[in-house]
Structures are given as C-alpha cells and as structure tokens.
C-alpha cells in the first residue's frame, strides 16, 4: 500500500511538472516579450541617457579635548558617539546649510535640486559622514559635495562659537558688576580665568567635524552600464511575464494537452483524433478500434455510449467515424441517435427520417421499419437509427424498460451498438443511456472544454456509479 501511494505521488509530481512545462512553452512569448522589451528599453535608456557621476566628501568627527582641558569636563559631545554621528548626518541637508551651498555655487541650482543631488550616509563605526553628490557633470558633483561639507562645518562652527560668545558675554557682565571690594579678589580672578578660556575655546572651535577627504571629480560614471542595466531589466521583465502567464493560466483553464484531460478525468486516452469535420482520415479511429479490442480482453465492449462534457466537442462526428471504421473492418454496426433533445446525426449524415428510436420505445414501429442502411465503403454493414419524434421527457423515455429492451435487441442483432448521447453536464440523459451499454467513452476537445468542466462531468458520472472506459482527445 505504501509503495502504491508513493508511486501515485511520484506520478502526480510528474504530471504537475509536465503541466508547468507545457504552460511555460505555450506562454513563452508572454514571458519572453516583457523580458525582451525590458532589455531593449534598458539598452536604449542607458545609451541615450547622459552618464551620472558621483563624488563623495568625507567628514570625520573630531575627538579633541580642548573643552576638557579648559573646563575640566566635555562641553560639546553626545553621551553616545554613534548618536552624535547619526544626528549630525541628519543636519547636512537642513535649510540653512542648503542656502549657504546655493550661495557658494552662485545660484546654478535651486535648493530643491541641490537636496535631490545629495545623499548623506553616517558611517558610525568609523565616525565618518559621507556626503555623495550625483550629477551629469563630474566637476559639479565634486563642487556640490565639497560645498555641503564646508557649509555643514561652517553652520556647526557658527553655532558653537555663538554659544561660547554668549557664555563669554555673561562672564564679562559678571566682571563688570563686581563690587569695588571684590575687584582683585578671588572671584574676579576666577571669572577672568573663565573668560580667557572661553575666548580661547571660541577661537579654536570647528563644530566638531573636519573634512577628512574632500570630494574629487570622478573619472568614470557611477550608473549601471548597458550590460548590467539590460540584465536587470530583462530579469525584471521575465518575472513580470511569468507572473502574467500564471495569471492567464489561472483565468483560462481550458484543457490544452492530453495530460490536462487525463489529469481531470482520470481515465486513459484511447485515441487522439483531428477536429476537422470533413476529414476522411480514419487512421486515428483504427487506433481507437484496436484499443477497444484490448479492452474486450477483460469485458464485453460491444455497445458504447459516446458523449462529452459539454456541447461542440465533436462527439457526433467521432461516433460516426468510429461506427464507419468498425463497419469497414467487417463488423455489422448500428449507429443510434441518443440525443432526443438536440439530435444532430441526421444533419451530419445528410438524411432525414420521420420515424426512429422514440417510435420503437413507444411500440409504434418495428426495428426493420426505422433502420436506415448507410451505403458506401461499409458495404451495407453500417445502419442508422434516427431519433424519431422528439419527446417532452427524454430522460424518462430513455430510462424506461421499453427503451432498455430496444437497446438490448439492437445489441443482440449487431456486432456493435454505437449511441451518440447528449453532453454530460447539461442534461442527465447519459446516466439513463449508460444502463443500456457496456461502457461510456467521452470526447474532450482541446482548447474548448475547461478542466473544471471535465472534472464536473467526471463527478456526475461517479455519483451515478459510472466510470468511462477512456477518453478520445479531439484536437
């Protein structure tokens, strides 16, 4: 049992892989089209667009201790150096910095353009701030990056010096407010020392950052070259095409290959036949005839119901050609119109009859009165039983004891009884006809019937305790 289950799983996996391969092959242009288009557009854009250059200026966080030497404590420092670098990086593109850069560059760029040109990255592990400027002009890229670096340092320097100057002014105010008896004393000396230290620290203040490496005009473009851009665009296009192909496959569930049919129906393919209605090629039906004889090794297969899941799958033409092939091989065959709702055998064969199957079932005619021999290469071995007047209740008529007796009499008189039945899904007539036959053969037309319709037809037959002998794939 375990080996059987493993074999079934392996077979299912093979069917799924084969289905995926067929989908990829059938939708190959849906997949390749966007990939080729993306590739072409990428090459066109890369070759036509001007190259972009990137110049990078590096700012280093200073770790000087002037404030500690002068005051005994660190005045201008975050408690966490990494936070210092990250916070400082966020200040590089502030409005006052951008305004200073625009002024330094002589108004060649607007503030918004300058902001878009620059990317600021904090490198916290090395206490660096990287200012990268992108432009189609390598010299401009370097100028912009260096201007932002200088502007950032200048703003920080001005802020620090302003804070120190304010502190020094407060000290000087305290000195000016000393009482006469305090002058020359300890308090005056302390304030004077503090004022001198603030003045000294103010003169050496740099804002905590210095230019570690100014930006240099790059000699090569930083944008992707045509090959890299083409590969990226091609892969992106292929992925889009693949997703689109899968979406199409999901929306369009029509059976496209014989494996789609067998996977949905669960029975073997007895033959693959063309869909051309006027084709005289009976070779596929000789294959079908041979396969029927193989089936007869296990059971009697002389009366057959030919049906399909839905209409227009070619079951009527298949029934005619199968009957003709059997008759040519020497068998005596009767072809019965079992569709008492929308019969089509008469128009297919090009004959018109007033009496037929319904007259036999109702006891209003004898078999010899309604049978029509079909001349030609069958040499009188092929006969046709027309439908007769169409009844108001076809299913009840076909499931009656009288109908079963008619079909039994036909099966006893002829080597083969071929019944052209209605489709399975629209009406229940097939379930009634199946009780009078040795087996059912379904016809599935590729690119027309949907896999879901095949599965629904299979389920309807299974609920009636029926399983087709096999399927004829038309396409």
């Amino acid at each position: 049992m375990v080996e059987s289950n493993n074999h079934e799983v392996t077979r299912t996996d093979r069917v799924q892989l084969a289905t995926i391969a067929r989908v990829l092959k059938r939708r190959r242009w849906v997949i390749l089209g966007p990939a080729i288009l993306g590739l072409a557009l990428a090459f066109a854009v890369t070759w036509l667009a001007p190259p972009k250059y990137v110049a990078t200026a590096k700012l280093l966080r200073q770790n000087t201790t002037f404030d500690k030497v002068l005051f005994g404590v660190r005045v201008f420092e975050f408690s966490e150096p990494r936070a210092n670098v990250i916070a400082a990086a966020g200040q590089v593109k502030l409005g006052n910095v951008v305004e200073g850069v625009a002024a330094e560059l002589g108004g060649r760029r607007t503030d918004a353009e300058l902001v878009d040109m620059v990317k600021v990255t904090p490198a916290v592990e090395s206490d660096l701030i990287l200012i990268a400027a992108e432009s189609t002009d390598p010299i401009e890229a370097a100028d912009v990056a260096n201007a932002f670096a200088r502007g950032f340092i200048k703003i920080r320097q001005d802020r620090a010096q302003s804070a120190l100057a304010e502190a020094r002014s407060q000290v000087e105010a305290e000195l000016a407010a000393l009482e006469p008896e305090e002058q020359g004393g300890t308090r005056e000396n302390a304030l004077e020392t503090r004022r001198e230290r603030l003045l000294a620290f103010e003169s050496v203040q740099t804002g905590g950052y210095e230019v570690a490496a100014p930006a240099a005009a790059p000699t090569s473009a930083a944008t992707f070259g045509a090959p890299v851009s083409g590969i990226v665009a091609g892969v992106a296009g292929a992925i889009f095409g693949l997703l689109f192909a899968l979406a199409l496959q999901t929306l369009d569930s029509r059976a496209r290959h014989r494996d789609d049919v067998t996977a949905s129906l669960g029975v073997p393919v007895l033959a693959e036949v063309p869909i051309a209605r006027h084709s005289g090629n009976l070779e596929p039906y000789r294959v079908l005839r041979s396969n029927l004889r193989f089936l007869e090794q296990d059971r009697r297969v002389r009366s057959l119901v030919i049906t399909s899941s839905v209409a227009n799958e070619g079951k009527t033409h298949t029934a005619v050609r199968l009957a003709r092939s059997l008759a040519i091989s020497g068998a005596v065959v009767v072809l019965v119109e079992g569709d008492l709702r929308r019969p089509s055998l008469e128009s297919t064969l090009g004959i018109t009859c007033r009496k037929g199957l319904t007259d036999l079932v109702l006891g209003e005619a004898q078999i010899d009165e309604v049978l029509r021999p079909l001349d030609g290469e069958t040499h009188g071995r092929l006969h046709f039983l027309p439908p007769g007047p169409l009844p108001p209740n076809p299913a009840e008529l076909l499931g009656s004891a009288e109908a079963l007796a008619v079909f039994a009499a036909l099966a006893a008189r002829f080597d083969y009884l071929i019944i052209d039945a209605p489709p399975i899904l629209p009406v229940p007539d097939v379930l009634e006809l199946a009780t009078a036959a040795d087996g059912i053969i379904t016809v599935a037309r590729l690119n027309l019937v949907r896999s879901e319709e095949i599965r629904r037809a299979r389920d309807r037959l299974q609920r009636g305790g029926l399983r087709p002998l096999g399927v004829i794939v038309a396409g």
Side-chain angles (χ1 to χ4, degrees):
M1 177 65 70
V2 173
E3 291 182 358
S4 176
N5 290 339
N6 290 338
H7 176 73
E8 185 64 26
V9 170
T10 302
R11 181 180 179 277
T12 301
D13 291 340
R14 286 199 302 267
V15 170
Q16 291 176 344
L17 290 175
T19 301
I20 292 173
R22 289 195 306 275
V23 171
L24 294 177
K25 181 179 179 181
R26 184 167 62 248
R27 308 285 187 186
R28 59 186 180 276
W29 289 114
V30 174
I31 300 171
L32 293 177
I36 295 173
L37 180 60
L39 188 66
L41 289 176
F43 272 92
V45 170
T46 302
W47 287 115
L48 296 177
K52 296 290 185 68
Y53 297 89
V54 176
T56 303
K58 298 179 181 179
L59 299 180
L60 176 65
R61 186 181 71 88
Q62 291 179 330
N63 196 24
T64 58
T65 58
F66 291 130
D67 51 350
K68 188 172 183 179
V69 171
L70 293 173
F71 301 103
V73 295
R74 299 305 302 272
V75 178
F76 298 102
E77 183 176 37
F78 280 67
S79 59
E80 172 58 50
R82 291 188 177 187
N84 185 313
V85 174
I86 294 173
Q91 300 170 2
V92 173
K93 297 167 71 173
L94 292 179
N96 48 3
V97 177
V98 178
E99 290 173 1
V101 172
E104 180 181 340
L105 296 176
R108 288 180 292 171
R109 294 278 189 173
T110 65
D111 291 359
E113 288 175 336
L114 289 171
V115 170
D116 290 339
M117 290 174 63
V118 172
K119 179 181 179 182
V120 182
T121 305
V124 295
E125 298 296 336
S126 53
D127 285 348
L128 288 174
I129 295 177
L130 308 180
I131 304 176
E134 183 183 76
S135 173
T136 56
D137 181 356
I139 297 177
E140 182 188 40
D143 289 344
V144 171
N146 288 328
F148 267 93
R150 289 190 296 268
F152 168 73
I153 292 176
K154 181 67 169 56
I155 292 295
R156 288 182 61 90
Q157 185 180 35
D158 290 346
R159 288 176 180 173
Q161 288 177 341
S162 177
L164 291 169
E166 183 178 353
R168 178 169 52 80
S169 297
Q170 291 178 357
V171 172
E172 290 174 347
E174 290 184 36
L175 284 170
L178 288 175
E179 299 293 334
E181 62 271 14
E182 292 180 315
Q183 296 178 359
T186 303
R187 178 169 169 72
E188 182 183 25
N189 291 335
L191 290 172
E192 191 63 42
T193 300
R194 187 177 181 187
R195 187 187 71 81
E196 291 174 356
R197 288 178 176 177
L198 285 169
L199 186 61
F201 192 42
E202 185 180 343
S203 65
V204 298
Q205 182 54 236
T206 61
Y209 283 85
E210 63 180 343
V211 178
T219 58
S220 59
T223 51
F224 286 140
V228 177
S229 299
I231 291 173
V232 172
V235 171
I239 293 174
F240 172 79
L242 179 60
L243 294 176
F244 187 56
L246 293 176
L248 288 177
Q249 182 63 22
T250 301
L251 295 174
D252 181 9
S253 61
R254 285 177 291 181
R256 304 283 186 176
H257 190 271
R258 57 177 287 167
D259 288 345
D260 297 334
V261 176
T262 55
S264 300
L265 195 55
V267 296
V269 174
L270 297 178
E272 294 183 68
V273 301
I275 60 175
R277 296 187 175 184
H278 302 291
S279 173
N281 181 18
L282 293 179
E283 183 59 34
Y285 297 91
R286 296 188 182 97
V287 174
L288 174 59
R289 189 178 66 210
S290 300
N291 287 332
L292 290 177
R293 288 172 179 168
F294 279 115
L295 292 175
E296 284 192 286
Q297 294 179 356
D298 299 324
R299 56 183 294 185
R300 172 185 169 84
V301 184
R302 291 303 177 109
S303 54
L304 296 170
V305 171
I306 310 298
T307 184
S308 59
S309 301
V310 294
N312 300 318
E313 292 195 68
K315 63 176 182 59
T316 297
H317 294 275
T318 299
V320 171
R321 291 186 180 117
L322 173 60
R324 181 171 286 123
S325 176
L326 290 170
I328 291 174
S329 69
V332 182
V333 184
V334 59
L335 177 62
V336 178
E337 176 62 88
D339 189 345
L340 301 183
R341 300 175 188 267
R342 298 179 61 185
S344 57
L345 274 176
E346 286 183 308
S347 61
T348 300
L349 297 172
I351 57 178
T352 302
C353 307
R354 294 181 59 186
K355 293 187 176 183
L357 177 60
T358 54
D359 298 286
L360 292 180
V361 174
L362 296 175
E364 297 176 357
Q366 300 298 316
I367 291 179
D368 290 330
E369 296 179 38
V370 296
L371 280 180
R372 291 290 302 271
L374 299 178
D375 299 326
E377 55 187 335
T378 60
H379 302 294
R381 290 189 292 269
L382 177 59
H383 298 76
F384 170 53
L385 178 59
L390 300 184
N393 54 347
E396 289 81 356
L397 181 72
L398 294 173
S400 64
E402 291 79 4
L404 291 178
V406 169
F407 289 127
L410 292 172
R413 179 170 176 173
F414 294 91
D415 296 328
Y416 283 97
L417 167 63
I418 307 298
I419 304 174
D420 178 29
I424 299 170
L425 292 180
V427 293
D429 300 9
V430 172
L431 302 180
E432 304 297 342
L433 287 170
T435 60
D438 297 329
I440 300 173
I441 294 178
T442 62
V443 177
R445 181 172 177 176
L446 299 181
N447 301 314
L448 184 143
V449 65
R450 299 182 182 278
S451 298
E452 175 61 25
E453 292 171 331
I454 298 176
R455 288 190 290 269
R456 286 169 50 206
R458 175 201 63 195
D459 294 342
R460 171 169 285 190
L461 292 177
Q462 287 179 345
R463 287 194 295 271
L466 303 172
R467 185 174 188 270
L469 299 174
V471 60
I472 299 172
V473 176

